[in-house]
Amino acid sequence: MHNPLYRNVIARITEKLESGEWRANQVIPSEWRLAEQFRVSIGTIRRAVDELVAGRLLVRHQGRGTFVAAHTEDHYRYHFFRLVDAAGTRLYPAVQLQGFRRARADAAEAARLQLKRGAPVVRIVNLLRLEGAPAVLDRITLPAALFPGLTRAMFERRSGTIYHLYQERFGVSVIRAVERLRATAAGRAETRALGVSPGSPLLEIERLAYTYRNRPVELRVSRAHTARYSYLSEIGKSDT
Amino acid sequence: MHNPLYRNVIARITEKLESGEWRANQVIPSEWRLAEQFRVSIGTIRRAVDELVAGRLLVRHQGRGTFVAAHTEDHYRYHFFRLVDAAGTRLYPAVQLQGFRRARADAAEAARLQLKRGAPVVRIVNLLRLEGAPAVLDRITLPAALFPGLTRAMFERRSGTIYHLYQERFGVSVIRAVERLRATAAGRAETRALGVSPGSPLLEIERLAYTYRNRPVELRVSRAHTARYSYLSEIGKSDT
DNA sequence: AAGTGGTCTAGACCACCAT
DNA sequence: TGGTGGTCTAGACCACTTA
């Protein structure tokens, strides 16, 4: 009723993205064509696309067209990784697979991933190096249903980010994440993997990553050694 | 040269905010009047105001007008405080002043606040309670030049947030902040103030708060006990 | 040169708020 | 009832890319 037209357009475009009719890195129809197709004015199309661009679902390139955002793009690489060095420059980690197991969701995983307890999941452990040195230990839990045929080799022979892998091989586009941070003490696993002394303080980052329609697709608990690096959080800027 | 008109409008509106010609909580002229005054179309005014609203400098109220954002507003209370409980609900702290001293900027303070080393500053220590229990120890450094006549009593008899105090008494509007998070071990001060055992892990949040034109106005180092609370960070959402 | 997104305008109508 | 912001339209012109 009081739904503005541009919301409707946003919903219809989102459907095309979700269904895979428009795929990552592809051009979508020009604004002129969209206006014709959706029977609205170009201004309304622009309003809708503006919001989708702000939400990082689409990317505009003047003179070329509007594209479906992909995890191959540079700005996306750093979008979900927030550790910086003392000077504040963003870093990107080298990932090393340490564990890959199929299991059944425990209570915490089930609650966060909106699964039934005991639902099949995949648990992955990654060691992240920054500037060569071990810095972060990641424990990832994925709903197996969303990643059929996922194998250890896919992680080992991966090129690009992990989210790029999700997108390319399984059509799962991570578009949003919520992270909760707290301080913890290093346990046995972290002591060994990160080379820190037992009980030394680590930054714990619990991330829930979402795809379209607020569907959770990944739970990730990272423990980071923050002697030389810190987690950057900006408040009140439109974006990066 | 290639500067779009609406950028110009943004700059001119920002000047009015910065100079104090338009004050917090006041209505600004209607879009119609602004268009007339700035000699541009209403569409261009809307484009400019859209961005300023997105950046939280202005607030629109349909039927009433457009207002200068103030730290009295509810959404602003939580904008700069990101600790949540286990259920994810945002909390607001009770602040208790523990220290107030005038001093000279050390090297780190000077660098971050863009002051000369030895410039006069005010150092404030606050204890923050969440749900009655001590949870965070804040160490704040302010450039004395920006806060003339600041007294201990102003902090003690404060109503509203600290940023509201800056805005009301000194015309300093905090509009943006950059935070760096790491894990540290509790020192003597934290052990006493927060009631934790020495060496236990704490979340350290180093915040630099900015006003217009990217001028830093506050350095704050918080140490938080995150057994029951965590720091919430959202990636890829327009805003709260 | 043709096609795309980016800016700017002018005007109509609606929803909401104060009075 | 009059004024405000919110939505939608139609069209002009500019800037950039590709061929």
Side-chain angles (χ1 to χ4, degrees):
Chain A
M1 173 68 134
H2 298 324
N3 271 1
L5 240 189
Y6 70 85
R7 291 228 173 275
N8 191 299
V9 172
I10 289 174
R12 289 164 81 179
I13 293 179
T14 303
E15 271 171 33
K16 305 227 182 216
L17 296 173
E18 192 183 7
S19 72
E21 184 177 339
W22 295 345
R23 291 171 185 284
N25 271 323
Q26 283 183 352
V27 212
I28 72 171
S30 72
E31 297 177 345
W32 181 83
R33 223 169 274 277
L34 286 176
E36 192 186 39
Q37 185 178 334
F38 290 162
R39 307 276 187 157
V40 300
S41 78
I42 274 198
T44 301
I45 293 293
R46 283 194 63 81
R47 180 69 155 39
V49 171
D50 277 349
E51 297 213 6
L52 293 165
V53 166
R56 302 239 190 196
L57 302 190
L58 298 176
V59 179
R60 282 204 254 243
H61 292 290
Q62 188 176 14
R64 295 205 288 134
T66 303
F67 298 75
V68 181
H71 286 281
T72 46
E73 292 178 50
D74 246 29
H75 70 263
Y76 239 135
R77 282 177 82 87
Y78 297 98
H79 194 222
F80 291 100
F81 191 80
R82 320 275 283 202
L83 291 184
V84 299
D85 66 13
T89 52
R90 300 182 97 93
L91 299 170
Y92 203 74
V95 183
Q96 182 182 334
L97 185 69
Q98 296 223 317
F100 181 100
R101 316 178 53 159
R102 298 190 168 273
R104 306 210 157 261
D106 64 25
E109 289 168 333
R112 285 173 179 69
L113 290 170
Q114 296 174 20
L115 301 171
K116 291 188 176 152
R117 193 166 167 175
V121 297
V122 182
R123 296 210 187 104
I124 294 140
V125 179
N126 280 323
L127 177 66
L128 275 55
R129 292 170 185 277
L130 291 174
E131 302 176 309
V136 184
L137 192 63
D138 270 3
R139 290 183 180 83
I140 297 176
T141 306
L142 302 173
L146 286 176
F147 299 88
L150 180 67
T151 64
R152 164 189 286 267
M154 289 179 188
F155 276 90
E156 281 164 340
R157 308 212 191 108
R158 184 177 42 78
S159 76
T161 70
I162 291 174
Y163 287 169
H164 182 214
L165 168 68
Y166 298 170
Q167 187 171 67
E168 283 293 291
R169 313 270 310 221
F170 304 98
V172 173
S173 291
V174 171
I175 58 175
R176 193 170 78 82
V178 175
E179 300 193 323
R180 299 236 196 135
L181 290 81
R182 47 186 90 79
T184 55
R188 274 248 302 276
E190 291 84 19
T191 301
R192 206 177 330 123
L194 303 177
V196 297
S197 44
S200 66
L202 296 178
L203 180 64
E204 178 180 287
I205 306 161
E206 179 186 303
R207 171 191 297 177
L208 249 183
Y210 297 85
T211 186
Y212 305 107
R213 317 252 172 221
N214 276 329
R215 286 214 301 162
V217 295
E218 182 203 62
L219 171 64
R220 180 187 295 214
V221 179
S222 306
R223 296 229 165 100
H225 182 42
T226 52
R228 297 172 54 195
Y229 309 106
S230 52
Y231 179 102
L232 189 69
S233 171
E234 305 208 34
I235 301 177
K237 242 308 167 42
S238 351
D239 225 16
T240 304
Chain B
M1 174 74 129
H2 297 325
N3 271 1
L5 241 189
Y6 69 85
R7 290 226 174 277
N8 191 297
V9 173
I10 289 174
R12 288 163 81 181
I13 293 179
T14 304
E15 272 173 32
K16 306 228 182 217
L17 297 173
E18 193 183 8
S19 71
E21 184 177 338
W22 295 345
R23 293 172 184 284
N25 272 322
Q26 284 183 350
V27 212
I28 72 171
S30 74
E31 297 178 344
W32 180 84
R33 221 170 277 276
L34 286 176
E36 192 186 39
Q37 184 179 335
F38 290 162
R39 308 275 187 156
V40 300
S41 78
I42 274 197
T44 301
I45 293 293
R46 282 193 64 80
R47 178 73 198 274
V49 172
D50 276 350
E51 298 213 5
L52 293 166
V53 166
R56 302 241 189 192
L57 302 190
L58 297 176
V59 178
R60 281 205 254 244
H61 292 291
Q62 189 176 12
R64 296 206 285 135
T66 302
F67 298 75
V68 180
H71 285 282
T72 46
E73 293 178 51
D74 245 30
H75 71 263
Y76 238 136
R77 281 177 82 87
Y78 296 97
H79 193 224
F80 290 100
F81 191 80
R82 322 274 284 203
L83 291 185
V84 299
D85 66 14
T89 53
R90 300 183 99 94
L91 299 171
Y92 203 75
V95 183
Q96 181 182 335
L97 184 70
Q98 296 222 317
F100 181 99
R101 316 178 52 157
R102 300 191 166 270
R104 307 210 154 262
D106 64 27
E109 289 168 332
R112 285 172 176 70
L113 290 169
Q114 296 174 19
L115 300 172
K116 290 188 175 151
R117 192 165 168 176
V121 297
V122 180
R123 296 208 187 104
I124 293 140
V125 179
N126 280 324
L127 177 66
L128 275 55
R129 292 169 185 276
L130 291 174
E131 303 176 310
V136 185
L137 192 64
D138 271 4
R139 290 183 180 82
I140 298 176
T141 305
L142 302 173
L146 286 178
F147 298 87
L150 180 66
T151 65
R152 164 188 285 264
M154 289 179 188
F155 275 90
E156 283 165 340
R157 308 212 191 109
R158 186 176 41 78
S159 75
T161 71
I162 291 175
Y163 288 170
H164 182 215
L165 168 69
Y166 297 171
Q167 187 171 67
E168 283 293 290
R169 312 271 309 221
F170 304 98
V172 173
S173 290
V174 171
I175 59 175
R176 192 172 79 83
V178 175
E179 301 193 321
R180 299 234 197 135
L181 289 82
R182 45 184 92 76
T184 55
R188 273 247 302 275
E190 291 83 20
T191 301
R192 206 177 330 125
L194 303 177
V196 298
S197 45
S200 66
L202 296 178
L203 179 64
E204 178 180 288
I205 307 161
E206 180 186 303
R207 170 191 297 176
L208 249 183
Y210 297 84
T211 185
Y212 304 107
R213 317 251 171 220
N214 275 329
R215 285 214 301 162
V217 295
E218 182 203 61
L219 172 65
R220 179 187 296 213
V221 179
S222 305
R223 295 227 164 100
H225 183 41
T226 52
R228 298 173 53 195
Y229 309 105
S230 53
Y231 179 102
L232 188 70
S233 171
E234 304 207 37
I235 301 178
K237 240 317 164 40
S238 351
D239 228 17
T240 304

